[in-house]
């Protein structure tokens, strides 16, 4: 796969929203106000194939773009009747991205969704009266209508937030990746203003 903009960045950071459809946002957080972003759909009929394909894609992208820093959203493992395969995939994607970063000698950190959402200013829960809004009334007849509407409302607010920053995401996966990129970019720039150096700025949970 061809590089995004090979040689165009000094600190080359990529933010990943990991699922069967991976959202990514790439750029230099000190030079580029708007990252290059998109999505890729993972092929494979089982968790092993999808995790392997993610690992291979990450190796290709990290190497061809000389990525120095990787940020991934850490998975939330829900309680209840979630399938074993779904949980394996959620954890496996993070491990695959982390191993690819390690193989490419890139820094790799993870952030919980609630952390980046709260610090980026994006709500993590939709309002209780969301079904009264015209944009979400079509979900009212569903058994899980309120839950689905709240989830969709949060996704829409994330899209709105990154559009204000200059991104134009095609879906919620790309929007989340952009939001994670902006969240980390803002933290890095603020830290740089405080300490006056880029050294050891990439804090987080190592993955």
């Amino acid at each position: 796969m061809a590089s995004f903009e090979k040689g165009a960045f000094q600190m080359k950071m990529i933010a990943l929203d990991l699922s069967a459809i991976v959202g990514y946002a790439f750029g230099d957080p000190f030079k580029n106000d708007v990252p290059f972003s998109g999505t890729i759909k993972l092929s494979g009929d089982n968790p092993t194939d999808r995790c392997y394909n993610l690992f291979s894609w990450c190796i290709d992208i990290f190497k061809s773009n000389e990525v120095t820093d990787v940020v991934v959203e850490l998975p939330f493992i829900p309680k209840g009747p979630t399938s074993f395969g779904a949980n394996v995939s959620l954890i496996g994607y993070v491990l695959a991205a982390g191993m690819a970063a390690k193989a490419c000698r890139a820094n790799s950190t993870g952030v919980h969704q609630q952390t980046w959402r709260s610090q980026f200013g994006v709500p993590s829960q939709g309002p209780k009266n969301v079904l009264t809004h015209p944009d979400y009334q079509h979900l009212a007849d569903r058994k899980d209508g309120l839950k689905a509407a709240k989830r969709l409302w949060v996704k829409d607010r994330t899209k709105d937030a990154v559009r204000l920053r200059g991104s134009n995401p095609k879906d919620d996966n790309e929007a989340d990746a952009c939001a994670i990129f902006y969240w980390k970019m803002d933290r890095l720039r603020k830290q740089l203003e405080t300490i006056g150096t880029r050294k050891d700025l990439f804090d987080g949970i190592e993955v």
Side-chain angles (χ1 to χ4, degrees):
M1 181 179 293
S3 63
F4 298 139
E5 287 188 54
K6 188 172 182 179
F9 306 101
Q10 293 179 2
M11 180 178 182
K12 301 167 185 178
M13 183 175 76
I14 189 167
L16 299 174
D17 177 58
L18 299 172
S19 66
I21 300 177
V22 178
Y24 60 83
F26 172 80
D28 184 329
F30 296 102
K31 292 173 57 179
N32 304 104
D33 290 333
V34 180
F36 179 88
S37 61
T39 61
I40 178 173
K41 184 176 182 180
L42 297 177
S43 60
D45 297 327
N46 56 69
T48 299
D49 287 347
R50 289 190 294 273
C51 288
Y52 176 77
N53 289 331
L54 173 62
F55 174 79
S56 299
W57 178 83
C58 285
I59 289 286
D60 184 15
I61 291 299
F62 296 172
K63 284 186 175 180
S64 62
N65 291 279
E66 300 176 351
V67 169
T68 60
D69 298 278
V70 181
V71 192
V72 301
E73 181 182 275
L74 296 174
F76 170 74
I77 307 301
K79 297 179 181 179
T82 305
S83 72
F84 175 77
N87 285 338
V88 168
S89 294
L90 289 172
I91 298 170
Y93 295 152
V94 173
L95 295 176
M99 287 187 290
K102 182 74 72 175
C104 297
R105 297 185 178 181
N107 299 312
S108 177
T109 56
V111 59
H112 291 288
Q113 181 184 105
Q114 192 170 12
T115 299
W116 72 256
R117 284 192 180 279
S118 63
Q119 295 180 2
F120 185 59
V122 176
S124 57
Q125 290 187 341
K128 294 181 180 179
N129 64 344
V130 65
L131 287 174
T132 63
H133 193 286
D135 289 346
Y136 309 101
Q137 288 178 352
H138 66 283
L139 297 169
D141 293 334
R142 285 177 44 171
K143 184 177 180 181
D144 65 340
L146 179 59
K147 183 178 180 180
K150 285 183 174 182
R151 185 165 56 246
L152 182 58
W153 184 89
V154 169
K155 291 179 179 180
D156 288 344
R157 299 296 75 76
T158 306
K159 292 177 185 177
D160 291 342
V162 299
R163 282 171 180 150
L164 287 174
R165 299 289 291 264
S167 292
N168 187 27
K170 301 178 187 65
D171 61 21
D172 59 284
N173 302 290
E174 184 177 353
D176 282 359
C178 289
I180 294 168
F181 184 95
Y182 289 127
W183 164 79
K184 191 62 186 182
M185 180 180 76
D186 291 345
R187 287 174 59 83
L188 289 169
R189 290 184 178 185
K190 184 176 181 179
Q191 288 174 304
L192 182 60
E193 291 175 359
T194 302
I195 65 177
T197 177
R198 297 189 186 189
K199 186 177 181 180
D200 297 329
L201 286 178
F202 216 83
D203 58 340
I205 302 172
E206 187 173 359
V207 295

